[in-house]
C-alpha cells in the first residue's frame, strides 16, 4: 500500500490562459480526477518573468489587484475568484487597463495555492473574506489554521500575508487560528490594527465596512 502510494504518478494541471490573462473553472475542473495529486505548478510557464509574485484570493471585481498591478509594473499578480459574474468584471478591468503583469483564475484559490512552489510568493492578500456570520457556517470560513499554515509555506522568507475583515468574530477567530502558525509574526505591535493609512479601499470596504471597525492583519514570514 505504502509503495503504491509513493509510486502514484502526479498529474500535471494544464494552465492555458485565454488571451494570456484568464482561466475559467471549467478548464480546470475538466482535468480534475478523484483521488489524484497534482504536480507543483511551474510558474515560468505562465508568468512573464521571475519577478516577485503577489497573490490575491477573492479578488471580487479586481479593483484592488488592478491598483497594485498598475503601481508595480515590474511585479507579477495572480488573482482568484469563484463567482463568475464578478470574475468577468475583473477580467474586463484588467483588459481595459492593458495590464500585462496579471493572471486571473476563476477557481478556488485554496486549491490552486496548494500547487504553488514553496517559498514562491512575496505577498498574499485576502480582503474581506466571506464572514459566514451564522455560527453553524463558521466552519466554511477560509482562514483556518491549516490554510494559514499553507500560505506561510508558500511565502518567501520575509514575505507578507495581508488579511482584512470587518467582522469582529472572524477577526477573533483569525487571531486564534494564527497561534499555531509558528512562522508568521505580526508586523504591528498588536496582532491586528483598526486603521491602516495607506490601505487601498476595495469595493466591499467602500460599500459595507464601517471604517472604525475594520481589522487589518499584516503577518510577516520569519
Ligand atoms: C466579501 S467578498 C470581498 C471581495 C473583494 N475582496 C472586496 O473586498 O471587495 C469575498 C470574495 O471572495 C470570493 N471567494 C470566497 N472564497 C474563495 C476562494 N476559496 N477562492 C477564490 N475566491 C473566493 C467570493 O466569491 C467573494 O467574491
Amino acid at each position: 500500500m505504502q509503495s503504491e502510494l509513493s509510486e502514484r504518478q502526479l498529474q500535471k494541471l494544464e494552465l492555458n490562459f485565454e488571451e494570456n490573462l484568464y482561466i475559467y473553472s471549467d478548464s480546470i475542473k475538466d482535468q480534475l480526477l478523484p483521488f489524484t495529486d497534482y504536480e507543483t505548478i511551474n510558474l515560468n510557464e505562465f508568468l512573464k518573468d521571475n519577478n516577485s509574485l503577489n497573490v490575491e484570493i477573492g479578488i471580487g471585481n479586481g479593483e484592488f489587484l488592478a491598483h497594485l498591478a498598475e503601481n508595480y509594473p515590474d511585479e507579477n499578480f495572480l488573482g482568484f475568484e469563484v463567482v463568475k459574474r464578478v470574475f468577468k468584471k475583473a477580467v474586463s478591468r484588467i483588459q481595459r487597463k492593458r495590464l500585462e503583469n496579471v493572471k486571473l483564475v476563476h477557481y478556488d484559490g485554496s486549491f490552486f495555492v496548494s500547487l504553488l512552489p514553496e517559498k514562491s510568493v512575496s505577498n498574499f492578500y485576502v480582503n474581506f473574506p466571506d464572514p459566514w456570520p451564522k455560527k453553524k457556517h463558521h466552519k466554511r470560513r477560509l482562514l483556518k489554521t491549516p490554510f494559514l499554515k499553507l500560505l506561510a509555506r508558500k511565502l518567501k522568507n520575509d514575505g507578507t500575508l495581508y488579511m482584512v475583515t470587518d467582522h469582529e468574530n472572524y477577526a477573533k477567530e483569525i487571531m486564534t487560528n494564527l497561534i499555531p502558525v509558528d512562522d508568521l509574526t505580526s508586523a504591528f505591535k498588536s496582532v491586528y490594527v483598526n486603521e491602516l493609512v495607506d490601505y487601498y479601499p476595495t469595493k466591499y470596504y467602500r460599500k459595507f465596512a464601517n471604517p472604525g471597525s475594520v481589522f487589518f492583519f499584516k503577518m510577516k514570514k520569519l
Side-chain angles (χ1 to χ4, degrees):
M1 180 66 176
Q2 181 58 42
S3 65
E4 241 176 64
L5 275 179
S6 54
E7 279 167 23
R8 197 196 279 167
Q9 284 268 311
L10 295 176
Q11 294 291 316
K12 181 171 163 49
L13 206 59
E14 294 297 338
L15 299 173
N16 299 315
F17 285 85
E18 294 182 43
E19 301 182 57
N20 205 21
L21 172 61
Y22 57 90
I23 296 189
Y24 278 119
S25 60
D26 289 349
S27 98
I28 294 179
K29 282 186 202 149
D30 286 351
Q31 300 178 56
L32 299 182
L33 301 164
F35 312 113
T36 302
D37 294 321
Y38 294 86
E39 278 180 19
T40 300
I41 288 168
N42 179 356
L43 296 174
N44 294 324
E45 284 181 13
F46 64 93
L47 295 185
K48 70 177 170 60
D49 50 40
N50 287 326
N51 292 354
S52 297
L53 172 62
N54 303 281
V55 176
E56 186 183 4
I57 300 166
I59 59 172
N61 68 7
E63 281 178 42
F64 183 87
L65 197 70
H67 170 77
L68 287 181
E70 251 178 329
N71 283 280
Y72 298 93
D74 295 333
E75 299 189 19
N76 292 297
F77 294 85
L78 179 57
F80 298 96
E81 175 54 56
V82 287
V83 174
K84 198 168 194 174
R85 186 179 47 82
V86 280
F87 180 77
K88 284 182 169 177
K89 288 189 181 173
V91 169
S92 307
R93 182 181 309 280
I94 303 297
Q95 284 174 328
R96 265 198 319 276
K97 292 177 178 280
R98 298 179 193 280
L99 295 169
E100 293 182 358
N101 53 343
V102 178
K103 293 281 180 279
L104 301 177
V105 181
H106 171 229
Y107 200 67
D108 173 10
S110 57
F111 169 73
F112 206 101
V113 165
S114 73
L115 303 183
L116 293 176
E118 311 282 290
K119 297 189 177 183
S120 62
V121 177
S122 297
N123 298 292
F124 277 112
Y125 299 91
V126 188
N127 288 301
F128 301 99
D130 294 322
W132 296 106
K134 288 186 185 156
K135 194 161 196 277
K136 65 176 180 184
H137 291 153
H138 285 184
K139 55 181 179 294
R140 300 185 189 173
R141 288 174 172 171
L142 180 68
L143 299 169
K144 300 286 181 190
T145 299
F147 187 55
L148 294 167
K149 285 187 172 175
L150 176 77
L151 295 177
R153 286 209 324 267
K154 304 299 171 174
L155 274 177
K156 288 184 170 173
N157 292 344
D158 211 34
T160 309
L161 164 60
Y162 295 88
M163 301 174 284
V164 192
T165 181
D166 64 337
H167 198 275
E168 185 169 7
N169 177 277
Y170 198 179
K172 296 269 156 62
E173 188 190 329
I174 294 170
M175 265 176 81
T176 306
N177 293 348
L178 280 167
I179 294 170
V181 190
D182 300 332
D183 43 359
L184 289 181
T185 186
S186 179
F188 305 129
K189 286 192 183 127
S190 48
V191 184
Y192 59 73
V193 294
N194 295 115
E195 266 179 57
L196 200 60
V197 209
D198 51 359
Y199 180 68
Y200 183 78
T202 65
K203 182 169 180 188
Y204 181 96
Y205 179 93
R206 293 195 313 274
K207 270 187 92 168
F208 303 112
N210 170 0
S213 49
V214 176
F215 303 82
F216 297 94
F217 294 79
K218 180 178 178 181
M219 306 300 300
K220 296 296 284 182
K221 164 89 171 269
L222 295 173

